[in-house]
Amino acid sequence: MPVLTIEHVTHYKYRQPVSFGEHRIMVRPRESYDQRLIEARLDIDPAPADLRWLHDVFGNSVAIARFEGRATGLRFHSTVRLEHAPVAHHQIDVEAYARCYPFTYASEDMPDLLRSIERQHHDPYRVVDTWARGFVRNDGATDTVGLLSDMAMRIRSEFTYVPRHEKGTQTPIETLKKRQGTCRDFAVLMIEAVRALGFAARFVSGYVYNPSRGEGRVGGGNTHAWVRVFLPGSGWVEFDPTNGIVGNRGLVRVAVARDPYQAVPLSGTWAGMPSSAAGMDVSVEITLEDAVEPPTSARQAVAGSPATC
């Protein structure tokens, strides 16, 4: 099982001393059967007057820092060491009734999935709907995992990844028109598209790394964003449209939310002259202690064992 060390540093700089309001920090990975924390440390300079931890409505770990005094900089340094167990595409085991699209979620699951199926962006001309329906076969024989994999792969191959450090995301329609965006934009597009087809989907913020030298990953050097879709039999399954990943290989979850604004890694306020702000530096370094061999591509594996629809 690979062991990772993740160093995440965010440094705010100011030209003269400013005061700081409350800051909300989401950098501690979620613990689960596929990722186990060995060590987690959060260093803040200047030290906060008060630091407390809580779980938000989605079960994400959140640190709340409050400050006193003034300073010309504010630095957050998260160090995490964890075991990460890759779950590959061929391990996705969907219940028989859901292997072919369309299907209906079980009645006992629907009350908890409804808000994750609900659309978040206006689409009056059904632009996203039309694009999403293009992945459904006209004869009705559509493999569920194949549909979702094809969508992730299509975004990876036909859209251009362009880093953008400003907050917020493009609307799905903007991303479709521009054919480019960040990992956040691609995640939001895929979430809205699969929701248009009736799937429950959530936004994920975390880290991406190269499991081996033979695999390239886009979106490193900062936090990363992707999608989770609920599939009966396997639960929440990862799909990264930026890299075309199906399963969690190379992906470390930190925050899971219904909407991107609920999974911002770091947010807060400061008070001072508007000209005081001198910029922000962010760096993420991931060290892999135990490399593993790269798998067959996700699309090849899905094509090799299709469901009978």
Side-chain angles (χ1 to χ4, degrees), residues 1-4 32-36 82-92 209-212 215 217 238 245-253 288 290-295:
M1 181 181 296
V3 176
L4 312 176
S32 182
Y33 64 89
D34 58 349
Q35 51 185 53
R36 185 181 71 85
L82 77 159
E83 290 182 345
H84 190 245
V87 177
H89 43 271
H90 61 268
Q91 295 175 282
I92 300 173
Y209 70 93
N210 292 323
S212 68
E215 296 174 75
R217 293 288 187 267
E238 330 282 303
I245 300 171
V246 180
N248 75 334
R249 184 178 171 83
L251 302 173
V252 177
R253 289 184 306 278
L288 180 61
D290 185 13
V292 290
E293 291 302 315

Side-chain angles (χ1 to χ4, degrees), residues 1 10 20 30 44 49 55 69 76 92-93 98 103 123 137 139 152 155 164 170 175 180 185 222 226 235 276 298 309:
M1 181 181 296
T10 302
F20 304 107
R30 294 172 65 105
I44 304 174
H55 284 119
F76 297 87
I92 300 173
D93 185 11
F103 67 90
D123 187 14
R137 294 179 56 172
D139 59 6
I155 294 173
R164 188 180 67 248
Q170 297 174 169
T175 302
Q180 67 179 32
D185 301 324
N222 208 321
W226 63 94
S276 297
C309 297

Side-chain angles (χ1 to χ4, degrees), residues 24-309:
R24 186 173 185 270
I25 309 120
M26 299 177 68
V27 293
R28 182 187 176 98
R30 294 172 65 105
E31 296 198 62
S32 182
Y33 64 89
D34 58 349
Q35 51 185 53
R36 185 181 71 85
L37 281 180
I38 301 172
E39 178 184 359
R41 178 174 176 175
L42 178 61
D43 296 310
I44 304 174
D45 184 26
D50 178 65
L51 179 67
R52 64 187 180 91
W53 289 86
L54 58 85
H55 284 119
D56 67 8
V57 69
F58 299 102
N60 303 312
S61 293
V62 183
I64 305 295
R66 295 188 175 92
F67 299 87
E68 295 177 353
R70 301 167 69 86
T72 56
L74 181 58
R75 188 173 185 269
F76 297 87
H77 184 178
S78 168
T79 303
V80 171
R81 191 163 176 264
L82 77 159
E83 290 182 345
H84 190 245
V87 177
H89 43 271
H90 61 268
Q91 295 175 282
I92 300 173
D93 185 11
V94 182
E95 294 282 359
Y97 75 87
R99 289 175 186 165
C100 299
Y101 178 85
F103 67 90
T104 302
Y105 287 119
S107 58
E108 60 266 27
D109 293 330
M110 280 299 288
D112 298 303
L113 295 176
L114 282 174
R115 292 307 305 275
S116 296
I117 299 173
E118 186 177 274
R119 302 284 293 276
Q120 299 293 312
H121 294 267
H122 294 295
D123 187 14
Y125 299 106
R126 302 181 67 83
V127 175
V128 177
D129 298 63
T130 301
W131 184 77
R133 293 298 302 180
F135 295 91
V136 181
R137 294 179 56 172
N138 293 329
D139 59 6
T142 303
D143 174 54
T144 298
V145 177
L147 181 160
L148 297 169
S149 301
D150 285 346
M151 186 179 293
M153 295 297 178
R154 180 79 60 84
I155 294 173
R156 180 199 178 194
S157 63
E158 296 185 0
F159 292 67
T160 303
Y161 172 78
V162 179
R164 188 180 67 248
H165 301 293
E166 293 82 3
K167 294 181 180 179
T169 60
Q170 297 174 169
T171 67
I173 295 175
E174 287 176 323
T175 302
L176 281 174
K177 289 181 178 178
K178 294 180 178 180
R179 314 298 284 187
Q180 67 179 32
T182 65
C183 57
R184 303 188 307 273
D185 301 324
F186 296 159
V188 169
L189 169 60
M190 184 167 178
I191 288 171
E192 282 296 294
V194 299
R195 284 175 176 171
L197 298 177
F199 289 97
R202 288 180 174 176
F203 181 90
V204 188
S205 176
Y207 302 105
V208 60
Y209 70 93
N210 292 323
S212 68
R213 292 182 180 179
E215 296 174 75
R217 293 288 187 267
V218 174
N222 208 321
T223 54
H224 190 56
W226 63 94
V227 182
R228 298 188 98 191
V229 179
F230 189 83
L231 296 177
S234 283
W236 294 100
V237 178
E238 330 282 303
F239 292 88
D240 178 5
T242 302
N243 292 293
I245 300 171
V246 180
N248 75 334
R249 184 178 171 83
L251 302 173
V252 177
R253 289 184 306 278
V254 171
V256 176
R258 183 168 38 85
D259 193 86
Y261 79 88
Q262 299 168 311
V264 177
L266 178 59
S267 60
T269 61
W270 61 275
M273 296 294 292
S275 59
S276 297
M280 174 185 71
D281 294 326
V282 179
S283 68
V284 174
E285 294 186 5
I286 301 179
T287 303
L288 180 61
E289 299 180 17
D290 185 13
V292 290
E293 291 302 315
T296 308
S297 70
R299 190 65 199 103
Q300 288 175 329
V302 171
S305 56
T308 302
C309 297

